[in-house]
Amino acid sequence: MGQGARKLIDQLRMRQDNVKSLGQHFLNNEDVLDKTITLADISGQDHVIEIGPGPGVLTERLLETDCELTAIEIDQGICDFLKHTFPNLNLISGDALREKWPKVNKLVANIPYQISSPLIDITTKMQSIEYVVILVQEEFAERLVVEWEGDKGSLGMCSMLDWESKIEMRVGPHCFTPSPKVNSCLVSMKRLEPPKNSKLTKILIRQAFEQRRKKIRNTLSKAPKRISRVKNWHNKAYRDAFQSIDYPLLDCRPEELEIEDWLDLAGLLEDARAAMG
Ligand code: SAM
């Protein structure tokens, strides 16, 4: 049996103060930790990455499983504490957005909320990661899983192409030390096989949601900024293909389209481009 969350938090707080700008609100609730570990469903074959271990409340639980664990923490004082408390932990001291991640298959973490979006981008690009359990700010979780119609945006619509995401548990501010002003959610994300034209679809979604009040006919008539990053596409090919298609939903605003509609639109454009040679 380990030391438990409250003891680890107290030990770290005796050594140093919390750094608010690094999102240092530490999880003090054993039920949320139990749920995280149950959801993570860890086996001896797993290589797990934890971003922002802080005092090690989740780290301790992960080390009790038989997975291989790597943690990345930016705060040098916390890294010294972790090395002292968990001498066998494979710890990378640095910024998770800049450090090279090892080839892991799961991300399990109570992440620093201020880097949620770029962290999801890195996780999505890292194809070896097939499953994620993360604690994030409630608003971010709702946009990620598109809980309500009003949550529709490029984050949720694009992530639907790569992940099946689910809010597993709501977590109140009292579960953290010190308490944040916001609510949190435990979210699971299971990797999906990306559908055909996934990359083009994401580029269309991102461009359309940049001006979400406009009809997509207007925002998408200009070639998207990163179109040449999609295989076989460039500005002129896009403009020609766009002019040639007839798609009734072009007169809608982006939040009126479902993910299947975006895939249909990308498919039409792809067919038009291929037909033009
Ligand atoms: N996982 C711990 C827990 O559940 O109590 C701590 C979570 S706290 C919300 C976020 C942690 O991430 C802090 O320890 C903070 O120092 C660290 N952190 C902040 N930005 C980071 C970054 N860019 N890369 C790695 N760690 C970061």
Side-chain angles (χ1 to χ4, degrees):
M1 194 60 195
Q3 308 195 51
R6 286 191 187 271
K7 201 163 163 200
L8 285 166
I9 295 169
D10 287 348
Q11 284 173 2
L12 176 65
R13 292 185 99 194
M14 279 193 297
R15 292 169 65 124
Q16 66 177 67
D17 291 331
N18 290 60
V19 182
K20 270 195 177 168
S21 60
L22 293 177
Q24 291 181 357
H25 298 275
F26 305 130
L27 188 60
N28 61 35
N29 186 290
E30 301 292 339
D31 293 341
V32 181
L33 289 164
D34 287 343
K35 180 80 178 168
T36 308
I37 293 295
T38 305
L39 285 168
D41 191 24
I42 292 166
S43 78
Q45 273 82 56
D46 289 328
H47 187 174
V48 176
I49 191 156
E50 183 190 3
I51 303 302
V57 298
L58 179 59
T59 320
E60 179 174 66
R61 296 295 201 94
L62 291 166
L63 287 171
E64 283 166 6
T65 71
D66 47 3
C67 73
E68 188 180 347
L69 175 66
T70 301
I72 309 182
E73 171 60 58
I74 202 169
D75 183 313
Q76 193 50 56
I78 292 187
C79 287
D80 294 342
F81 172 80
L82 288 167
K83 277 181 208 151
H84 175 259
T85 314
F86 307 107
N88 296 327
L89 174 65
N90 183 8
L91 179 67
I92 300 174
S93 167
D95 183 342
L97 302 181
R98 291 170 183 269
E99 297 295 327
K100 189 170 164 21
W101 296 16
K103 194 172 177 218
V104 294
N105 67 316
K106 286 185 181 171
L107 163 66
V108 182
N110 168 18
I111 64 171
Y113 294 173
Q114 69 276 17
I115 61 166
S116 301
S117 275
L119 215 53
I120 295 291
D121 285 346
I122 292 176
T123 308
T124 301
K125 281 188 193 129
M126 192 150 183
Q127 291 295 326
S128 63
I129 300 184
E130 59 207 22
Y131 190 59
V132 174
V133 182
I134 42 170
L135 196 54
V136 293
Q137 188 171 334
E138 185 177 47
E139 244 179 33
F140 183 84
E142 288 172 352
R143 285 194 291 122
L144 186 72
V145 308
V146 191
E147 192 163 55
W148 311 104
E149 203 58 18
D151 296 326
K152 258 192 197 166
S154 59
L155 171 72
M157 298 310 280
C158 288
S159 84
M160 262 179 221
L161 297 167
D162 295 292
W163 303 100
E164 185 188 324
S165 308
K166 190 173 166 208
I167 293 180
E168 302 281 359
M169 189 183 195
R170 307 243 166 208
V171 180
H174 63 282
C175 295
F176 299 87
T177 305
S179 298
K181 290 199 175 75
V182 296
N183 289 317
S184 304
C185 286
L186 193 58
V187 171
S188 68
M189 298 167 69
K190 197 168 144 208
R191 171 93 60 183
L192 301 170
E193 191 63 41
K196 213 172 146 201
N197 302 319
S198 173
K199 204 164 178 187
L200 177 60
T201 308
K202 281 188 199 173
I203 280 184
L204 298 174
I205 291 173
R206 291 205 177 103
Q207 167 116 335
F209 275 102
E210 267 177 24
Q211 290 173 287
R212 59 187 305 144
R213 298 280 153 248
K214 287 197 175 170
K215 292 181 179 174
I216 60 176
R217 186 183 297 285
N218 296 326
T219 44
L220 295 186
S221 58
K222 255 193 354 207
K225 274 168 258 160
R226 297 192 175 93
I227 192 68
S228 52
R229 292 196 187 173
V230 188
K231 197 172 169 216
N232 296 327
W233 283 90
H234 52 81
N235 285 0
K236 185 171 176 329
Y238 178 87
R239 283 194 304 271
D240 292 347
F242 190 81
Q243 271 169 18
S244 76
I245 62 163
D246 180 20
Y247 187 56
L249 297 185
L250 287 180
D251 289 316
C252 294
R253 293 182 173 76
E255 64 259 33
E256 295 175 81
L257 274 69
E258 301 301 333
I259 194 65
E260 295 75 20
D261 302 323
W262 289 109
L263 285 164
D264 286 348
L265 175 57
L268 277 178
L269 286 167
E270 188 59 59
D271 290 347
R273 184 204 57 75
M276 286 171 188

